[in-house]
Amino acid sequence: MQIYNTLTRQKEEFVPLNSGHVGMYVCGPTVYGDAHLGHARPAITFDLLFRYLKHLGYKVRYVRNITDVGHLEHDADEGEDKIQKKARLEQLEPMEVVQYFTNRYHHDMELLGVLPPSIEPHASGHIIEQIEFIKKILDAGFAYISEGSVYFDVRKYNETYHYGKLSGRNIDELYENTRELDGQSEKRCPLDFALWKKASPEHIMHWPSPWSEGFPGWHLECSTMGTKYLGEQFDIHGGGMDLMFPHHECEIAQSCAALGHDSVRYWMHNNMITINGQKMGKSYNNFITLEQFFTGNHPLLSRPFSPMTIRLFILMAHYRSTVDFSSEALEAAEKGLTRLTETYNRLRKLEPAEETTVGGLEGLRGRCEQAMSDDLNSPIVISELFDSARAINTIADGKATISAADLKELQDVWKLFVEDILGLKLENGSTNNANEQAYHGAVDMLLDLRLEAKRQKDWTTSDAIRNRLTNLGFKIKDSKDGYEWSL
Ligand code: ZN
């Protein structure tokens, strides 16, 4: 499998450090608000990678953290930790805020079909490890203590290593672009970043340390928890492109400073999402939470969109390209999802014949695998599935036939790529849980009764069943040997 490594700026053959095992770390959410579209894309991108690596036979340890310790860097204007601010305003324990939004995040991820990671460590649960990590950086001479806080010495580090190698920057241009002036802060250089911050008296989330009552800097948790659970060197580190600088750059610096080498072999970054051509941001008033997508409760949305529509929409673009969200684009994805669902239902009901008389199906599995192994090219997989849908519908319409062996292969390939790898749960497609089976059985039973009524020319009953189901949102299509339905 080839993946694009942000660090080397090229596609590379993926070779794990320990054969058969993959360690992967992805920066998770900061839990002070509801998850929005910006959270959905990395979650779905790295879920796709997680699923595909498992399909390739690897044992994957997937670590995705929860950021629940404040970091001023993210909200420098307000000068207050967001979790702390929320807790103060709503008179809650900070950990109540954290738990509330973590639960909601998990719920959204489940709806989106995102598998839970193997380990989901909280920054607040790893303060001791972070303090130890800081000590290593201090011992190596790449950090200094100032007024109870500890800062990373970027200029010193850059004498031995290259600060900026991931994002392709160098320290001189970074220095020129900084607005902060020397001598106006506790830092020796404006580029230095906090490893430990002394807490101000009103700060409620703080812990004891050798330097002060305080809290760790944001970048530190990922270096610490990544190496704690995956080892001093591990395979993959992922996240959104917005995290490349400074967050991931600082992670590299911290690991090199503390351990003498980089921790990560392959850096992967998903591209960003724009909404109607605009960057997502508070100032644009276009922050749409996932819940708002699911309920349609936002002025930019024409109506609700199902989690699977969002998932398919994200997977229809390659993870390294930008994606622009609009109601129209989502409606198109919704049509695609309906078509996949209908085709999947027809595929499951196909009867085999003596021989296969339809072309285009041979080698489908290989083509889908090749696309996935080419840096997770999900849009190609989806277009392969749509191409095969044409052949499936030709067979279902009685215009061609398929042999038993070819039919089994086709059904297996669809199950593998649609359900297991792309992670799409299609309305009637998968019937592996009891509720779904009962629900489908009940609708089928009503439509069987309607079919019987039609045979008896009892139009009143047949129309009544059809109208009641239609009013509930079912789409019923009569076909030559019965009916098809979808919701
Ligand atoms: Zn991180």
Side-chain angles (χ1 to χ4, degrees):
M1 161 185 199
Q2 296 236 315
I3 53 181
Y4 182 87
N5 189 347
T6 315
L7 194 58
T8 57
R9 291 167 186 77
Q10 58 188 14
K11 276 190 211 171
E12 290 176 22
E13 191 59 34
F14 176 67
V15 185
L17 286 158
N18 299 314
S19 86
H21 294 257
V22 177
M24 95 186 215
Y25 186 96
V26 172
C27 294
T30 307
V31 281
Y32 58 78
D34 274 335
H36 53 76
L37 262 190
H39 293 97
R41 197 169 191 197
I44 290 172
T45 298
F46 294 102
D47 183 57
L48 179 70
L49 176 63
F50 184 35
R51 286 165 179 271
Y52 190 60
L53 288 168
K54 288 201 290 187
H55 161 69
L56 292 177
Y58 292 114
K59 272 191 82 134
V60 187
R61 185 181 295 162
Y62 175 16
V63 181
R64 190 186 67 206
N65 67 305
I66 295 278
T67 296
D68 60 351
V69 172
H71 40 82
L72 298 169
E73 288 94 330
H74 245 191
D75 198 12
D77 300 342
E78 291 173 42
E80 187 179 13
D81 178 319
K82 286 183 176 177
I83 293 170
Q84 169 171 314
K85 185 175 174 190
K86 189 118 194 152
R88 183 175 56 75
L89 290 176
E90 300 184 15
Q91 296 197 313
L92 297 167
E93 267 295 315
M95 279 300 141
E96 274 183 286
V97 177
V98 166
Q99 190 66 57
Y100 176 78
F101 286 112
T102 304
N103 292 347
R104 288 173 70 86
Y105 178 74
H106 287 161
H107 180 65
D108 285 341
M109 291 303 117
E110 200 184 327
L111 290 174
L112 287 172
V114 171
L115 299 174
S118 328
I119 305 177
E120 193 172 49
H122 286 234
S124 64
H126 296 76
I127 301 296
I128 293 169
E129 289 88 342
Q130 294 184 72
I131 289 172
E132 292 306 308
F133 211 95
I134 295 171
K135 285 183 189 163
K136 281 189 198 159
I137 299 175
L138 277 168
D139 288 347
F142 293 114
Y144 57 90
I145 304 160
S146 173
E147 314 280 335
S149 295
V150 184
Y151 291 98
F152 191 92
D153 192 338
V154 172
R155 272 195 293 217
K156 175 82 185 298
Y157 171 81
N158 198 61
E159 288 165 13
T160 313
Y161 303 96
H162 173 191
Y163 181 78
K165 68 174 178 177
L166 181 68
S167 55
R169 299 161 202 235
N170 68 58
I171 191 168
D172 296 327
E173 69 177 271
L174 284 169
Y175 196 72
E176 270 172 31
N177 290 333
T178 171
R179 280 170 295 167
E180 204 177 325
L181 297 170
D182 266 332
Q184 289 199 335
S185 81
E186 307 168 346
K187 296 191 263 182
R188 286 181 192 163
C189 162
L191 296 178
D192 296 350
F193 54 91
L195 298 170
W196 187 265
K197 277 293 272 183
K198 184 181 173 180
S200 50
E202 64 278 7
H203 209 106
I204 40 182
M205 289 178 91
H206 52 80
W207 293 265
S209 81
W211 314 288
S212 64
E213 271 293 311
F215 53 93
W218 169 42
H219 312 305
L220 191 64
E221 66 184 68
C222 291
S223 290
T224 306
M225 298 191 291
T227 50
K228 177 178 166 95
Y229 294 111
L230 298 172
E232 287 198 359
Q233 269 205 307
F234 59 89
D235 299 300
I236 299 170
H237 192 316
M241 224 159 74
D242 52 334
L243 296 181
M244 198 192 299
F245 188 88
H247 184 53
H248 292 158
E249 206 73 75
C250 294
E251 271 189 53
I252 291 177
Q254 289 165 160
S255 293
C256 287
L259 311 168
H261 57 78
D262 201 348
S263 295
V264 178
R265 292 277 296 270
Y266 304 88
W267 281 93
M268 292 177 77
H269 292 92
N270 63 273
N271 212 320
M272 306 317 288
I273 286 176
T274 52
I275 296 191
N276 296 316
Q278 272 185 324
K279 227 182 119 186
M280 261 196 311
K282 269 192 238 159
S283 46
Y284 300 107
N285 202 19
N286 63 1
F287 248 84
I288 310 178
T289 68
L290 291 171
E291 195 178 88
Q292 286 168 332
F293 273 102
F294 305 157
T295 58
N297 185 20
H298 192 283
L300 290 176
L301 297 171
S302 56
R303 56 189 170 78
F305 291 98
S306 76
M308 282 303 121
T309 300
I310 309 270
R311 184 168 179 114
L312 179 63
F313 184 76
I314 286 177
L315 293 173
M316 278 163 73
H318 187 255
Y319 75 93
R320 284 194 286 117
S321 12
T322 52
V323 160
D324 188 46
F325 260 83
S326 63
S327 266
E328 299 79 63
L330 276 176
E331 280 159 25
E334 195 173 56
K335 281 205 187 95
L337 190 70
T338 307
R339 179 140 177 262
L340 279 179
T341 307
E342 286 170 357
T343 307
Y344 199 18
N345 289 334
R346 298 184 98 182
L347 173 62
R348 283 166 52 249
K349 288 183 193 152
L350 284 188
E351 293 290 339
E354 278 299 302
E355 51 169 3
T356 304
T357 61
V358 71
L361 295 174
E362 57 286 335
L364 178 64
R365 180 190 294 265
R367 290 195 299 277
C368 290
E369 255 168 11
Q370 206 180 357
M372 280 303 295
S373 287
D374 180 15
D375 193 29
L376 304 181
N377 205 330
S378 56
I380 299 283
V381 175
I382 293 166
S383 77
E384 287 289 351
L385 290 170
F386 278 126
D387 284 349
S388 72
R390 218 169 296 141
I392 292 165
N393 288 321
T394 311
I395 302 166
D397 292 339
K399 292 177 189 138
T401 60
I402 188 164
S403 73
D406 288 347
L407 178 58
K408 175 151 192 329
E409 167 68 5
L410 188 57
Q411 287 170 336
D412 287 352
V413 169
W414 266 64
K415 159 132 192 3
L416 173 65
F417 282 93
V418 172
E419 291 185 31
D420 301 347
I421 294 174
L422 296 178
L424 295 167
K425 284 179 261 178
L426 303 183
E427 279 293 341
N428 318 340
S430 140
T431 48
N432 41 18
N433 86 42
N435 279 343
E436 285 231 330
Q437 280 185 22
Y439 157 66
H440 290 123
V443 178
D444 282 346
M445 185 184 77
L446 284 168
L447 289 170
D448 285 342
L449 287 173
R450 173 169 171 264
L451 212 58
E452 189 49 38
K454 272 169 74 180
R455 278 196 201 108
Q456 311 273 352
K457 302 206 185 319
D458 175 1
W459 308 117
T460 319
T461 307
S462 117
D463 287 350
I465 294 174
R466 185 192 179 93
N467 293 343
R468 300 258 319 250
L469 285 173
T470 309
N471 287 343
L472 287 169
F474 289 94
K475 230 170 82 186
I476 298 152
K477 206 169 114 191
D478 292 316
S479 65
K480 80 172 165 42
D481 29 68
Y483 52 81
E484 283 169 24
W485 64 269
S486 59
L487 190 56

